[in-house]
Amino acid sequence: MLLHSVNLWNLAFYALMVFMATLGLWDVFFGFEENKCSMSYMFEYPEYQKIELPKKLAKRYPAYELYLYGEGSYAEEHKVLPLTGIPVLFLPGNAGSYKQVRSIGSIALRKAEDIDFKYHFDFFSVNFNEELVALYGGSLQKQTKFVHECIKTILKLYKGQEFAPKSVAIIGHSMGGLVARALLTLKNFKQDLINLLVTQATPHVAPVMPLDRFITDFYMTVNNYWILNARQINLTTLSVAGGFRDYQVRSGLTFLPKLSHHTSALSVVSSAVPKTWVSTDHLSIVWCKQLQLTTIRAFFDLIDADTKQITQNPKKKLSVLNHHFIRHPAKHFEENPSIISNLTGTSMWVPVKVSKWTYVAYNESDKIYFTFPLANHRKIYTHVYCQSTMLDTNSWIFGCINSTSMCRQGVDLSWKAELLPTIKSLTLRLQDYPSLSHLVVYVPSIHGSKFVVDCEFFKKETRSIQLPVTHLFSFGLSSRKVILNASGLFYNIELLNFGQIYQAFKINVVSKCSGVKEEITSIYKLHIPWSYEDSLTIAQVPSSTEISVKLHVAQPDNDSHVALLKMYTSSECQYEVTVKTSFSQILGQVVRFHGGALPAYVISSVLLAYGGQLYSLFSTGHCLEYATMLDKEAKPYKVDPFVIMVKFLLGYKWFKELWDMLLLPELDAIVLTSQSMCFPLVSLILFLFGTCTAYWGGLLSSTSVRLLSSLWLALKRPSELPKDIKIISPDLPILTIFLILISWTTCGAFAILLTYLYYVFKIVHLQASLTTFKNSQTVNPKHSRRSEKKSNHHKDSAVHHLRLSASDAEDSLRMHSTLINLLTWIVLLSMPSLIYWLKNLRYYFKLNPDPCKPLAFILIPTMAILGNTYTTSMKSSKLLKTTSQFPLPLAVGVIAFGSSHLYRVPCFVFIPLLLHALCNFM
């Protein structure tokens, strides 16, 4: 029926919207690199020793536990407490297991064995009973308080030891990282109890899906505390994001707020982490071997040799994290590296006067120092670039001061180098080192190894090439191209006009090489200067390589840097770089950044259709089809202009004061703007997606009702249309009170679900009755016409004993079809708290706090009455006209206040439902 009520053009439009949404979803869920993480394995059987908590604490938190991780002999030794290592506490995230600590715990144990347990870490893990805290925020505060108690319990295990710790390091995965930050908001919490916080894929900025007010309130409390107390917080914090593979928590949410007076926080994407260089999904970030190795190396470098615990020096902590997670110079970390190095010993000194030089080292018996005099080069060139394929950690490049051909001491420039997957490279601007007379490249004596060292002097303008990106609305039909003809080793491609999250491009790099016998590797690095979200692509040339270019974080307004494609190339190859807009990836960015707001847009469209049906009932006495009204009423120009106008007016002080005086919440569009998430036309795109979803959802619900009614007729005796319409049947008050009691004593979402099922049952029964009536009409049309006339006579003669006709039943079903759509979305939005309650039923019979309880108290009697409501009883209502006018402003309210706060959406929906129910009595 729903398909017949829509013309072919509209059907084609809905199909197009499905296609576009599919493109966006495909980009989010499949449009990324393959998982390049190596699995981390345990060398011995992992054991989790349960730490006994005080009885009072265990009784207060019956669902939570604390464990100590161990393997083999280590586990056996540490079954007898106290402990002697460095405590690290792992906090799992949403639905996370305490056993996820095993990857990093095992790697740390192997590292400790390598140094004969000179230092070792004790890894603890909290069992949060795999609670769904990303969906239900009522237990976040409880988890935070339990972690505080765990920290105090852990430190007691070291009591009496020579080097007893006074603080713990915390690694928090997903929501576990937010719980760790929330510790600082507790009244009795001492900040000194935490010496380091590392979070993995933690959404710090905002919740992924704000499904209840407890989540948003928790976020507001934590973030406001960290912002207002930034000067007092000296906790070194590292946030690591997974990149585009993590579609559960987009990386933009993991970046800690940058405050000028809070410099002890770092945020980085795993694809930019040296020696990791891979994107991780939401779960693999805890077991990705490359990332866990980097983390453990940093942890061991953080140890203070005097206290045998993690250092308390904030500068050293930040230096170590920068060394391992931001820029690695291909050298072991040193707190105070010696800048001046001795260049002595029996070595050859070879002067090099050319501007471009390559040396292939193989089975070198003597050390060689290649010296490059800088005096002449300064006159012609601005920069020097050197690279080496020998990835050891020894110093390899130096600068001589006031020397002729050789020097006994040199400035160690190796600390300024950068480690890449196949090379270590260094670029110097010559004018920054006016005192250097020579550049020295050191080649050690090696046996059986082969490596290549290259150096070249160049002018910056010859290696920096500007490439304006294509326009957003070019849809990939046009492209821009640059060709690198020069035989350089390094190029910077400046991607002009690229800095917004809604931009997405495909860059194709085609390399053509002449006379190449051996396999050559080129590296293409996308460098985003305003955030650590770089990504690397390794290509074997000659080849054609496609690179996806899009952002996790938009360029700040006060930032003038340009995104770069850094190309580490071969001098024997020619490169052609082409950029064009990727329409599918733009849609992917819309879904990635705004997909969580889609339910609000769907409900807004359904509300507009619902309002149209109510008005058609008032004006014509008949309720039109849901699809027809959706096509007629669900227009973006009815919603968006009001939101845009209010956002504009809020820029004026007088309107903002009036807004605050009315105690109205902040407009969601302003929240998105503050997070640099405002796409042009994004609201229009989401509205179209929402209308499409509303249409196909309506088709699914009407089809489901018909199938269930057919099943009902197959199992039960055919039923008739009700002879007398009774809005409040004798059993309705009892059922309503029973469901309200369930809501009060157990879970509000559970009571809403039961009421919804009762409502669906009533509609299925009505559909079955109408089907039976139509079938009988087909068999005996004369009898059915007499029955129709008789029913109309009864309807006209006695209003208080209304009789339902077939046309009234069809009108009622059309109205109920729309109501089922609205109620289905309310039930879906309340499901997370129901799932949480069912999962914890063995510990708590009553959900507390319950985000759905207030809604349930209003919605249960409303839905119960609506289940017995027919359009016949509403046509003469004095309230019908007013009721038909409410859905439009409420549809605007859903977008204005519910797109970033989904828990507010049901509050806008129940108002017209309540008025609809009252129409039966007024």
Side-chain angles (χ1 to χ4, degrees):
M1 180 184 286
L2 199 64
L3 281 171
H4 294 307
S5 63
V6 181
N7 62 46
L8 290 176
W9 285 109
N10 289 337
L11 198 59
F13 167 75
Y14 292 135
L16 176 64
M17 288 297 103
V18 169
F19 174 72
M20 290 176 62
T22 303
L23 282 179
L25 289 168
W26 185 91
D27 180 69
V28 171
F29 293 108
F30 305 104
F32 42 69
E33 65 180 54
E34 63 181 6
N35 194 346
K36 296 177 182 177
C37 278
S38 301
M39 176 63 78
S40 50
Y41 295 97
M42 284 79 254
F43 289 85
E44 296 175 275
Y45 189 78
E47 294 187 35
Y48 305 90
Q49 180 183 345
K50 186 176 178 180
I51 303 298
E52 189 175 345
L53 299 172
K55 291 182 179 178
K56 194 175 180 181
L57 187 62
K59 189 177 181 181
R60 195 188 315 162
Y61 305 101
Y64 299 162
E65 296 168 322
L66 177 65
Y67 288 88
L68 171 65
Y69 177 80
E71 295 176 18
S73 58
Y74 171 87
E76 289 298 321
E77 290 172 9
H78 290 81
K79 283 182 179 178
V80 180
L81 304 174
L83 303 174
T84 57
I86 304 168
V88 180
L89 179 60
F90 176 80
L91 304 180
N94 177 58
S97 169
Y98 66 95
K99 294 182 179 180
Q100 289 173 313
V101 72
R102 62 183 177 270
S103 295
I104 194 165
S106 181
I107 290 172
L109 186 58
R110 301 284 85 78
K111 177 77 172 174
E113 287 177 350
D114 290 344
I115 58 173
D116 295 326
F117 283 93
K118 180 182 179 182
Y119 311 113
H120 73 273
F121 289 90
D122 299 318
F123 276 84
F124 297 86
S125 184
V126 174
N127 178 16
F128 285 134
N129 193 34
E130 300 183 10
E131 290 181 336
L132 302 171
V133 286
L135 304 177
Y136 169 76
S139 61
L140 284 168
Q141 192 67 21
K142 184 169 61 175
Q143 287 191 1
T144 306
K145 291 178 179 178
F146 180 73
V147 171
H148 183 198
E149 298 297 332
C150 286
I151 292 173
K152 292 189 285 188
T153 301
I154 288 169
L155 294 177
K156 287 178 183 176
L157 300 177
Y158 296 85
K159 211 167 185 180
Q161 296 301 307
E162 183 181 358
F163 299 101
K166 298 178 181 178
S167 57
V168 302
I170 294 182
I171 298 176
H173 173 238
S174 188
M175 294 298 286
L178 187 71
V179 168
R181 287 180 64 216
L183 285 167
L184 275 64
T185 66
L186 298 178
K187 288 183 179 178
N188 300 321
F189 185 80
K190 296 178 181 178
Q191 191 184 137
D192 296 340
L193 291 177
I194 308 176
N195 52 46
L196 178 69
L197 173 58
V198 177
T199 66
Q200 299 172 334
T202 296
H204 292 294
V205 177
V208 177
M209 292 289 284
L211 294 172
D212 66 55
R213 63 180 178 84
F214 303 120
I215 295 178
T216 54
D217 288 350
F218 189 80
Y219 264 89
M220 191 176 294
T221 301
V222 174
N223 286 332
N224 285 348
Y225 181 88
W226 276 64
I227 291 171
L228 296 173
N229 298 277
R231 294 184 187 277
Q232 289 76 42
I233 295 175
N234 56 6
L235 173 61
T236 303
T237 307
L238 171 69
S239 175
V240 183
F244 288 109
R245 280 194 62 85
D246 189 351
Y247 52 78
Q248 293 186 48
V249 176
R250 62 176 179 83
S251 297
L253 291 175
T254 67
F255 278 69
L256 292 159
K258 290 184 178 179
L259 302 173
S260 58
H261 44 275
H262 186 205
T263 56
S264 58
L266 286 175
S267 302
V268 63
V269 179
S270 60
S271 59
V273 175
K275 294 191 176 183
T276 301
W277 295 307
V278 296
S279 177
T280 65
D281 59 54
H282 196 62
L283 291 179
S284 68
I285 198 169
V286 299
W287 56 256
C288 182
K289 187 176 181 180
Q290 295 96 312
L291 183 59
Q292 302 309 325
L293 281 170
T294 300
T295 306
I296 289 304
R297 290 188 200 106
F299 270 49
F300 274 88
D301 281 342
L302 284 166
I303 297 173
D304 187 323
D306 296 328
T307 63
K308 296 191 177 181
Q309 296 293 325
I310 288 180
T311 180
Q312 297 298 318
N313 184 345
K315 286 187 177 180
K316 180 181 177 180
K317 285 190 274 193
L318 210 59
S319 296
V320 170
L321 295 180
N322 271 293
H323 179 93
H324 288 282
F325 287 90
I326 305 300
R327 186 185 178 92
H328 199 297
K331 288 180 66 66
H332 291 306
F333 175 79
E334 293 179 25
E335 186 175 358
N336 298 302
S338 54
I339 302 300
I340 304 299
S341 298
N342 293 321
L343 308 179
T344 55
T346 55
S347 308
M348 292 177 59
W349 287 79
V350 179
V352 180
K353 296 183 179 180
V354 295
S355 62
K356 188 172 181 180
W357 168 83
T358 298
Y359 184 79
V360 179
Y362 183 68
N363 281 335
E364 298 291 334
S365 57
D366 296 319
K367 300 175 183 177
I368 307 175
Y369 288 106
F370 292 95
T371 62
F372 299 79
L374 300 179
N376 292 329
H377 290 310
R378 289 183 195 278
K379 300 174 184 178
I380 307 171
Y381 305 107
T382 60
H383 290 70
V384 60
Y385 170 81
C386 291
Q387 65 180 35
S388 172
T389 60
M390 187 174 186
L391 303 182
D392 65 347
T393 57
N394 295 318
S395 296
W396 62 286
I397 189 163
F398 307 88
C400 287
I401 301 174
N402 299 325
S403 174
T404 53
S405 60
M406 59 182 288
C407 55
R408 293 184 178 276
Q409 290 185 324
V411 179
D412 192 348
L413 300 174
S414 307
W415 289 102
K416 298 186 179 296
E418 180 182 14
L419 177 66
L420 294 167
T422 58
I423 59 172
K424 51 186 178 182
S425 68
L426 172 70
T427 304
L428 296 177
R429 191 168 69 162
L430 295 177
Q431 72 177 50
D432 293 340
Y433 300 89
S435 61
L436 296 185
S437 59
H438 287 72
L439 189 70
V440 178
V441 174
Y442 171 61
V443 175
S445 58
I446 54 171
H447 300 283
S449 297
K450 179 181 178 180
F451 67 94
V452 181
V453 184
D454 298 276
C455 283
E456 64 174 349
F457 292 84
F458 62 89
K459 288 183 179 180
K460 181 183 178 182
E461 55 268 22
T462 62
R463 301 303 170 84
S464 295
I465 301 168
Q466 294 184 341
L467 178 61
V469 296
T470 48
H471 194 271
L472 179 69
F473 296 110
S474 63
F475 300 109
L477 300 176
S478 63
S479 62
R480 287 180 178 149
K481 183 191 299 183
V482 293
I483 297 175
L484 311 181
N485 287 316
S487 56
L489 298 171
F490 172 76
Y491 292 91
N492 272 332
I493 308 294
E494 298 180 2
L495 302 175
L496 303 181
N497 309 318
F498 174 52
Q500 301 301 322
I501 52 176
Y502 54 79
Q503 294 177 295
F505 307 95
K506 286 183 179 178
I507 291 182
N508 193 47
V509 182
V510 178
S511 53
K512 298 175 183 178
C513 308
S514 57
V516 177
K517 296 180 180 179
E518 295 183 358
E519 193 176 68
I520 300 174
T521 300
S522 291
I523 301 173
Y524 313 132
K525 178 180 180 180
L526 178 65
H527 174 60
I528 309 300
W530 55 85
S531 64
Y532 298 117
E533 53 176 290
D534 297 2
S535 58
L536 282 80
T537 303
I538 301 173
Q540 304 298 329
V541 296
S543 64
S544 177
T545 306
E546 188 175 87
I547 305 169
S548 292
V549 178
K550 50 198 172 188
L551 295 173
H552 297 292
V553 178
Q555 185 174 16
D557 293 333
N558 57 352
D559 193 296
S560 59
H561 291 93
V562 179
L564 299 174
L565 179 65
K566 293 187 172 185
M567 299 182 63
Y568 300 86
T569 56
S570 169
S571 58
E572 299 172 351
C573 300
Q574 184 187 64
Y575 295 81
E576 182 181 279
V577 182
T578 307
V579 61
K580 63 180 180 180
T581 299
S582 174
F583 182 62
S584 62
Q585 291 188 65
I586 290 173
L587 293 174
Q589 290 291 79
V590 172
V591 174
R592 182 176 288 109
F593 282 85
H594 293 279
L598 187 61
Y601 284 87
V602 176
I603 291 171
S604 180
S605 295
V606 179
L607 278 173
L608 290 172
Y610 177 43
Q613 284 183 316
L614 289 170
Y615 187 76
S616 71
L617 184 64
F618 166 75
S619 58
T620 66
H622 290 284
C623 182
L624 297 180
E625 284 281 0
Y626 167 71
T628 304
M629 298 313 301
L630 189 68
D631 175 47
K632 183 180 178 182
E633 299 293 334
K635 306 295 183 185
Y637 62 77
K638 293 187 175 183
V639 175
D640 282 345
F642 292 98
V643 178
I644 294 169
M645 184 175 64
V646 172
K647 181 185 174 184
F648 172 75
L649 289 173
L650 282 169
Y652 292 95
K653 187 178 179 181
W654 65 269
F655 191 82
K656 183 69 170 70
E657 290 175 352
L658 178 63
W659 187 272
D660 295 337
M661 194 184 301
L662 295 172
L663 301 178
L664 292 171
E666 191 173 24
L667 203 67
D668 281 0
I670 294 177
V671 176
L672 295 177
T673 302
S674 68
Q675 297 174 6
S676 301
M677 281 177 54
C678 269
F679 285 46
L681 305 178
V682 68
S683 188
L684 174 62
I685 296 170
L686 288 172
F687 196 94
L688 295 177
F689 283 174
T691 305
C692 171
T693 307
Y695 169 74
W696 292 111
L699 180 62
L700 178 63
S701 64
S702 62
T703 304
S704 301
V705 167
R706 289 174 180 276
L707 289 173
L708 289 171
S709 66
S710 300
L711 182 63
W712 175 266
L713 289 173
L715 297 175
K716 300 283 289 184
R717 196 172 72 180
S719 52
E720 298 179 353
L721 290 172
K723 294 179 180 179
D724 295 315
I725 296 174
K726 295 180 179 179
I727 305 301
I728 300 180
S729 58
D731 59 340
L732 192 62
I734 299 171
L735 177 65
T736 303
I737 293 170
F738 173 70
L739 289 170
I740 288 175
L741 283 174
I742 287 178
S743 172
W744 180 263
T745 56
T746 59
C747 172
F750 180 52
I752 290 173
L753 177 62
L754 292 177
T755 313
Y756 172 77
L757 294 175
Y758 165 78
Y759 179 81
V760 171
F761 167 76
K762 297 290 288 186
I763 308 313
V764 168
H765 186 269
L766 178 60
Q767 178 69 59
S769 302
L770 182 61
T771 303
T772 302
F773 179 83
K774 287 185 174 181
N775 290 340
S776 66
Q777 190 179 36
T778 305
V779 174
N780 192 353
K782 290 183 180 180
H783 173 74
S784 54
R785 278 198 294 272
R786 286 197 298 269
S787 300
E788 184 75 19
K789 288 178 181 178
K790 190 175 179 181
S791 69
N792 288 336
H793 171 73
H794 279 284
K795 182 170 65 176
D796 295 334
S797 60
V799 177
H800 58 281
H801 286 294
L802 294 171
R803 186 176 176 82
L804 192 66
S805 67
S807 62
D808 288 332
E810 287 183 343
D811 278 352
S812 299
L813 279 172
R814 292 185 189 118
M815 185 68 74
H816 285 303
S817 174
T818 306
L819 291 176
I820 281 180
N821 278 332
L822 284 173
L823 294 172
T824 300
W825 280 101
I826 290 180
V827 170
L828 288 175
L829 291 174
S830 64
M831 275 294 101
S833 60
L834 174 62
I835 295 169
Y836 179 90
W837 173 72
L838 289 171
K839 189 175 176 59
N840 290 274
L841 196 56
R842 57 178 172 160
Y843 302 109
Y844 315 104
F845 186 70
K846 181 179 180 180
L847 182 63
N848 185 33
D850 188 347
C852 295
K853 189 177 290 182
L855 178 67
F857 288 165
I858 301 172
L859 208 56
I860 288 170
T862 303
M863 288 170 67
I865 293 171
L866 289 175
N868 289 337
T869 297
Y870 305 93
T871 54
T872 309
S873 59
M874 292 178 58
K875 291 176 183 178
S876 59
S877 173
K878 296 177 181 179
L879 197 59
L880 181 57
K881 183 179 180 181
T882 305
T883 303
S884 68
Q885 294 170 343
F886 262 81
L888 174 57
L890 292 172
V892 176
V894 166
I895 302 303
F897 302 109
S899 55
S900 294
H901 299 82
L902 290 177
Y903 65 90
R904 294 174 181 167
V905 172
C907 302
F908 291 95
V909 175
F910 85 77
I911 295 173
L913 297 183
L914 182 61
L915 291 173
H916 187 156
L918 291 175
C919 283
N920 294 281
F921 307 103
M922 298 176 67

